[in-house]
Amino acid sequence: MKRKLISVMLITAVTVVMAAGCGKNSGNSENSDSGSNSGGSSQEASGEGGGGTFVVPINTNSVASLTPYNVYGADDLLMASAPCFDPLYVVTKDETRWYLAESLEPTSDDGCHYEMKIRDDLTWHDGEKITADDVVYTVNVLLDKANTSDSSESVTYNGKTISAEAVDELTVAITLQEPFSAFESEFGRIQIFPEHVFDGNTTIKDDIENLNKSIGSGPFKLKEYNEGDSIVYERYDDYYRGKPSLDQVVIKLMPDQSAQEAALQNGEISMMRVTNQTKLEKYSSDDNYTVYNIPEARLNYLTFNYQSPLMKDMDARKAICLALNVDDIVTGAYGSEELAIPAKNFCSPQNLYFNDEMEGYKQDIEEAKKLAKKSGLTERPLHYIYFTARPNMKETAQIVQEQLKEIGVTVELEGLDGGEFFPHLFAAWITGETTEDTSWDLATNGMDQLNSDPATKMTSWRGELVQNGFYVSPETNELWDKASQALTEEDRETYYKELQVQMNEDYSLFPMANTNYVIVARKEFKGLDEILRVPIFEDYLKITME
Amino acid sequence: MGKYILKRFLQLIPVVILVSIFSFLIIEAAPGDPVDNYVRAGMTKEEIEGIKKEYGLDGNIVEKYGRWLVHVFQGDLGTSIKQNRPVAELIGERLPNTLMLMGSALFLSLIISIPLGLWAGLRKNKLADNVISFISYLGISVPPFWMAMIMVIIFSLKLQLFPSGGMRTLNVYTAGDLIWHMVLPAFVLSLNNMAVFTRYIRSNTITQLEEDYVLTAISKGTGKRKVLSRHVLKNCLLPIITLAGINIAGLVCGSFVIETIFSWPGIGRLAMEAVGNRDFPLIMGYTMFSCIILILGNLLADVLYAVADPRIRQGMDRDNG
């Protein structure tokens, strides 16, 4: 009996090993047919214009919805939906790149009325024509509070919602309640949804089936979604800007960095992000990879909790700003200018109206010592919090701790996960009311500014609620209003540049680093250097495989 | 036997309830409010309260727990706050992947540890025993995440024999491909159990070989191989059934790490993200689920032990009237 049992076990084991071998073979053979597999190194160019499969890892274990109705500020979800859903257009400092839309014109002098025209040759992935009704429908979905979507912020400016109305099949009239300088940037980035798929219902949060059909407008259409593993997109042949070169784009759900690195080296993914100097040097010197460096339009900053009694004192904030050496922070925490450059003010150089004449804070230890003593900074330890999952934050915190020691200020560091960190940092903004929170004094965080108007994501720095967390002087608030509601380019430029100076004079934050999005890609992929937008990638037509 | 199983099932209920209470208390004590996932700038207090109500996050802890428990008894584990999908559905989608990995790991640990343990026991204090013991100690003491990385470096990056992660090759839908992807994670997950089982079987083999019945059989001229396969093996393997049941806990915990490192889309990874997001319905669902797997694993081990050993079965029947 036992002998039989052992025999059965041995046969099973042998079968497993043989099957494993078969699996490997079958995987390779199918890959060479389709030009796609989990191993990029064995990918063969095929099909029209090169073919191949481009595999992009994202740092999350799950994607709640394949239709991007709730992706505002979520880089991973934006990356997951980008191959399938095109934006209307993209405004950057240097140009406007048109996608689904072909024009946006003001129709009045008050800055509150616009007309946008979309292209006439657009189709959804199910073949239905894309019309102005779809744009209006999408705006209404984003405005529908029942969807509890962060993306409502792309159609709400200064707390005031916009409205949209179809003028004809291809024209949409948009009305703002008040002028807002970031409207053009924000509105263009919206990825629209098909009205017919959701039968015109704007509350789509619970319509999981249709959300995950992912009927989009981009160069790739959904082929399959493997829960918790990958989203596979295949080329959409009727794409309005021509056929993509790649056969497939795969979004791989892979939050573990070491897993990403092993997968890249094994050819199972095509690229990954690099955030430290050691890895940058390693891949830069390896001929199998190409390193791309994209200015991220992000500001990493040190902020002060305005509810902390000590931080209300401008002398205390000034002492800290003068004690810190931003060059040493960037060199120590990031490693080189390829990964980040010292920041000068709250804008990044990729922002519209960036004030490039400003030099940032200059270290002055003696003055900082005097101010620290005067303001009482030296009398108790400061509590400094940072978000552990964000790259370079821990290293930054440690350097700040060392530099403040030089002026006699003791700093206690505490790394927190997102669920704990953000409710501290944005307490008033999140809860909509003043929240007593004196548990921290200093914090470092990062802010994505999307290459465009300073007000795009800076609205959280103004208004009464913000004053409960960060310091915003009356002068700053006034300049925010003037700049964001200015009607001419000249006025906007003047006010935004003044605002940058004013915020530095307020010592309302310490600008630390403007980071670069550095990616390492397997050398067979080309065209990644043309992707001048973060989060990557805006235009998959430019990516090819050789 | 039937009564025993029923009795054990009834004992499950208070254990599961106690685990749920402790889990609920721990989640409640954790910093961060799950409702922050849904609150947007400009929402009124009424709207925020509405969201809390929708997800069962309103009221004090007793009310929240009571509501959750009532829903669970109605077969509803709640809706994931982050993913806006029923928890049972999310767990159900990924459960087969985790069970497949855990089952393979258990299978691997058994088929490797049994011959190794017996061999080591037979060759007590000889070279084979020392080598196997050394490897076993290594298996027990080396952390799985480290071993996982070493395995990836050697077998995936250097030798290119296995993929570094994932569950299948793109566009390939064969069982062979699935097994090929499972080899490394299942092996690493099985290592600890393999080492423990090997040590246990070795020790049992040595004990059994010194028993009178073995000496009698050998003195009567029965061949050593026959004694080993007919008598010693059976007695050595019986306790492994219990040990395997107990060690399911290790597999559940190990799947957290192994699924993350090998990008295996199972419930361990799902739970990791749920913890980060303060997605309390999903955390509770996962905790309850793991708790039930552990308890059922132990129950199954007890029942199998009773089936395999008549002495235990008789004892159970006596105790249960």
Side-chain angles (χ1 to χ4, degrees), chain A residues 468-511:
Chain A
N468 295 313
F470 303 145
Y471 177 67
V472 183
S473 69
E475 294 81 7
T476 295
N477 246 340
E478 193 184 334
L479 277 169
W480 266 118
D481 287 337
K482 280 183 178 174
S484 63
Q485 296 188 7
L487 296 176
T488 64
E489 280 294 308
E490 292 73 23
D491 285 349
R492 282 181 191 172
E493 180 151 8
T494 306
Y495 293 134
Y496 273 124
K497 285 189 171 175
E498 279 179 31
L499 180 58
Q500 289 162 63
V501 174
Q502 181 64 48
M503 282 183 73
N504 270 25
E505 285 177 1
D506 289 346
Y507 298 95
S508 55
L509 61 89
F510 182 83

Side-chain angles (χ1 to χ4, degrees), chain A residues 235-309:
Chain A
R235 181 167 54 202
Y236 177 52
D237 288 336
D238 294 328
Y239 184 56
Y240 61 98
R241 295 193 302 130
K243 285 183 188 176
S245 170
L246 296 167
D247 287 328
Q248 294 188 112
V249 171
V250 177
I251 305 296
K252 191 86 180 158
L253 280 60
M254 194 179 268
D256 186 66
Q257 297 303 305
S258 58
Q260 279 190 19
E261 192 159 8
L264 179 76
Q265 289 176 22
N266 218 21
E268 292 158 23
I269 60 173
S270 309
M271 52 138 290
M272 71 165 196
R273 187 178 184 186
V274 168
T275 55
N276 68 55
Q277 186 65 18
T278 312
K279 282 186 187 173
L280 177 62
E281 283 170 9
K282 174 183 164 185
Y283 289 105
S284 297
S285 59
D286 189 329
D287 291 340
N288 291 313
Y289 305 96
T290 314
V291 176
Y292 298 95
N293 193 331
I294 305 163
E296 199 177 3
R298 171 179 281 276
L299 172 74
N300 284 350
Y301 59 92
L302 173 81
T303 190
F304 312 102
N305 179 12
Y306 196 53
Q307 289 198 34
S308 160

Side-chain angles (χ1 to χ4, degrees), chain B residues 64-292:
Chain B
K64 279 194 271 190
Y65 178 73
R67 237 184 347 253
W68 177 84
L69 200 60
V70 168
H71 280 111
V72 168
F73 278 120
Q74 291 167 346
D76 176 14
L77 284 173
T79 302
S80 158
I81 293 173
K82 195 71 182 175
Q83 302 204 45
N84 193 38
R85 288 179 61 199
V87 168
E89 198 178 299
L90 287 169
I91 291 176
E93 274 173 354
R94 299 202 185 196
L95 180 64
N97 303 341
T98 297
L99 287 183
M100 198 156 46
L101 190 63
M102 283 170 55
S104 306
L106 195 58
F107 175 74
L108 264 180
S109 55
L110 286 172
I111 62 161
I112 294 175
S113 63
I114 290 169
L116 285 182
L118 281 172
W119 194 24
L122 282 173
R123 306 273 173 191
K124 185 185 169 188
N125 295 334
K126 292 186 178 162
L127 179 66
D129 180 31
N130 290 337
V131 170
I132 292 170
S133 295
F134 175 75
I135 294 172
S136 299
Y137 284 128
L138 215 62
I140 293 168
S141 49
V142 168
F145 73 89
W146 185 84
M147 183 53 82
M149 288 186 203
I150 295 297
M151 297 298 280
V152 167
I153 291 169
I154 296 173
F155 291 100
S156 183
L157 300 184
K158 299 286 179 203
L159 301 176
Q160 302 221 321
L161 289 175
F162 299 103
S164 69
M167 204 169 135
R168 65 179 184 79
T169 309
L170 192 63
N171 301 332
V172 179
Y173 303 91
T174 61
D177 183 63
L178 176 66
I179 295 169
W180 181 48
H181 279 78
M182 199 155 46
V183 171
L184 288 186
F187 182 71
V188 176
L189 191 57
S190 72
L191 272 179
N192 189 271
N193 275 351
M194 204 186 286
V196 173
F197 294 169
T198 303
R199 295 295 304 155
Y200 207 86
I201 293 167
R202 175 194 176 272
S203 155
N204 262 0
T205 306
I206 293 167
T207 311
Q208 292 297 325
L209 285 174
E210 287 167 1
E211 289 285 331
D212 290 345
Y213 75 91
V214 174
L215 298 175
T216 307
I218 291 171
S219 63
K220 278 184 172 181
T222 312
K224 204 171 178 185
R225 185 184 292 250
K226 201 169 181 180
V227 171
L228 198 66
S229 61
R230 288 217 175 152
H231 305 289
V232 176
L233 182 66
K234 188 176 179 183
N235 287 323
C236 284
L237 292 188
L238 274 176
I240 291 295
I241 297 173
T242 310
L243 207 58
I246 294 167
N247 280 314
I248 285 177
L251 291 176
V252 171
C253 298
S255 69
F256 258 80
V257 178
I258 299 303
E259 285 181 5
T260 302
I261 294 177
F262 287 100
S263 304
W264 189 264
I267 54 173
R269 271 175 77 188
L270 187 70
M272 286 274 278
E273 188 146 288
V275 171
N277 290 329
R278 303 288 189 272
D279 193 341
F280 109 91
L282 192 50
I283 299 172
M284 283 304 291
Y286 174 79
T287 312
M288 289 300 94
F289 193 77
S290 305
C291 164
I292 289 168

Side-chain angles (χ1 to χ4, degrees), chain A residues 81-224:
Chain A
S81 62
C84 191
F85 289 86
D86 267 0
L88 294 164
Y89 57 88
V90 174
V91 176
T92 68
K93 187 178 179 182
D94 305 313
E95 60 178 344
T96 299
R97 298 189 285 270
W98 298 97
Y99 288 89
L100 300 178
E102 59 182 19
S103 67
L104 177 79
E105 299 292 341
T107 52
S108 69
D109 295 331
D110 61 2
C112 293
H113 298 86
Y114 290 83
E115 263 190 14
M116 185 186 73
K117 272 196 182 301
I118 58 168
R119 292 170 63 129
D120 192 21
D121 54 352
L122 305 174
T123 53
W124 294 108
H125 292 158
D126 61 0
E128 290 282 323
K129 188 172 171 61
I130 297 177
T131 67
D133 287 335
D134 291 310
V135 180
V136 175
Y137 169 73
T138 302
V139 170
N140 292 333
V141 168
L142 298 179
L143 288 172
D144 189 334
K145 284 186 175 175
N147 290 319
T148 58
S149 162
D150 268 338
S151 297
S152 60
E153 298 202 15
S154 52
V155 286
T156 309
Y157 311 122
N158 278 349
K160 297 185 172 69
T161 57
I162 64 165
S163 61
E165 198 179 320
V167 177
D168 58 42
E169 196 184 29
L170 301 175
T171 313
V172 183
I174 303 144
T175 306
L176 285 71
Q177 295 186 42
E178 65 181 30
F180 190 65
S181 65
F183 159 71
E184 291 178 20
S185 316
E186 289 272 11
F187 193 77
R189 288 167 193 267
I190 293 174
Q191 297 161 297
I192 61 170
F193 325 131
E195 183 179 22
H196 66 280
V197 170
F198 297 95
D199 293 326
N201 295 323
T202 56
T203 306
I204 60 172
K205 181 174 68 117
D206 298 321
D207 192 356
I208 305 297
E209 189 186 339
N210 282 320
L211 284 171
N212 283 350
K213 280 182 185 167
S214 193
I215 305 293
S217 55
F220 291 88
K221 63 180 180 179
L222 181 69
K223 182 181 179 195
E224 61 184 44

Side-chain angles (χ1 to χ4, degrees), chain A residues 179-476:
Chain A
F180 190 65
S181 65
F183 159 71
E184 291 178 20
S185 316
E186 289 272 11
F187 193 77
R189 288 167 193 267
I190 293 174
Q191 297 161 297
I192 61 170
F193 325 131
E195 183 179 22
H196 66 280
V197 170
F198 297 95
D199 293 326
N201 295 323
T202 56
T203 306
I204 60 172
K205 181 174 68 117
D206 298 321
D207 192 356
I208 305 297
E209 189 186 339
N210 282 320
L211 284 171
N212 283 350
K213 280 182 185 167
S214 193
I215 305 293
S217 55
F220 291 88
K221 63 180 180 179
L222 181 69
K223 182 181 179 195
E224 61 184 44
Y225 174 42
N226 306 303
E227 170 68 33
D229 181 63
S230 58
I231 307 166
V232 182
Y233 294 113
E234 61 184 357
R235 181 167 54 202
Y236 177 52
D237 288 336
D238 294 328
Y239 184 56
Y240 61 98
R241 295 193 302 130
K243 285 183 188 176
S245 170
L246 296 167
D247 287 328
Q248 294 188 112
V249 171
V250 177
I251 305 296
K252 191 86 180 158
L253 280 60
M254 194 179 268
D256 186 66
Q257 297 303 305
S258 58
Q260 279 190 19
E261 192 159 8
L264 179 76
Q265 289 176 22
N266 218 21
E268 292 158 23
I269 60 173
S270 309
M271 52 138 290
M272 71 165 196
R273 187 178 184 186
V274 168
T275 55
N276 68 55
Q277 186 65 18
T278 312
K279 282 186 187 173
L280 177 62
E281 283 170 9
K282 174 183 164 185
Y283 289 105
S284 297
S285 59
D286 189 329
D287 291 340
N288 291 313
Y289 305 96
T290 314
V291 176
Y292 298 95
N293 193 331
I294 305 163
E296 199 177 3
R298 171 179 281 276
L299 172 74
N300 284 350
Y301 59 92
L302 173 81
T303 190
F304 312 102
N305 179 12
Y306 196 53
Q307 289 198 34
S308 160
L310 264 180
M311 295 298 117
K312 284 184 193 294
D313 186 346
M314 191 196 271
D315 284 344
R317 300 196 303 273
K318 188 176 177 183
I320 291 169
C321 290
L322 295 183
L324 298 178
N325 183 320
V326 72
D327 293 324
D328 288 350
I329 290 172
V330 170
T331 307
Y334 298 84
S336 76
E337 290 205 346
E338 279 184 85
L339 287 158
I341 56 169
K344 310 287 187 201
N345 61 62
F346 81 84
C347 282
S348 74
Q350 286 69 44
N351 273 128
L352 273 76
Y353 323 124
F354 172 65
N355 192 337
D356 54 7
E357 290 168 6
M358 290 175 67
E359 292 189 351
Y361 295 119
K362 290 276 174 220
Q363 190 181 37
D364 184 344
I365 297 289
E366 290 313 310
E367 179 67 10
K369 274 182 183 170
K370 278 184 215 159
L371 290 167
K373 202 165 183 187
K374 184 181 162 199
S375 60
L377 272 184
T378 49
E379 286 166 20
R380 72 161 173 88
L382 301 180
H383 195 74
Y384 180 133
I385 58 172
Y386 62 92
F387 179 25
T388 47
R390 185 157 281 163
N392 315 107
M393 289 291 136
K394 185 181 176 185
E395 295 82 354
T396 300
Q398 287 168 338
I399 296 170
V400 169
Q401 185 183 41
E402 282 303 307
Q403 292 189 354
L404 291 184
K405 203 188 276 180
E406 281 195 45
I407 61 163
V409 175
T410 310
V411 177
E412 292 168 349
L413 304 181
E414 187 182 13
L416 303 171
D417 68 13
E420 199 178 352
F421 177 75
F422 291 109
H424 276 304
L425 195 68
F426 298 125
W429 187 67
I430 289 173
T431 59
E433 58 189 19
T434 303
T435 310
E436 182 78 18
D437 183 5
T438 54
S439 64
W440 61 280
D441 302 293
L442 306 172
T444 33
N445 189 39
M447 180 169 53
D448 176 9
Q449 297 171 317
L450 297 173
N451 297 74
S452 54
D453 189 281
T456 302
K457 275 199 150 182
M458 288 297 289
T459 44
S460 52
W461 283 93
R462 59 181 300 279
E464 288 173 15
L465 282 176
V466 176
Q467 291 175 42
N468 295 313
F470 303 145
Y471 177 67
V472 183
S473 69
E475 294 81 7
T476 295

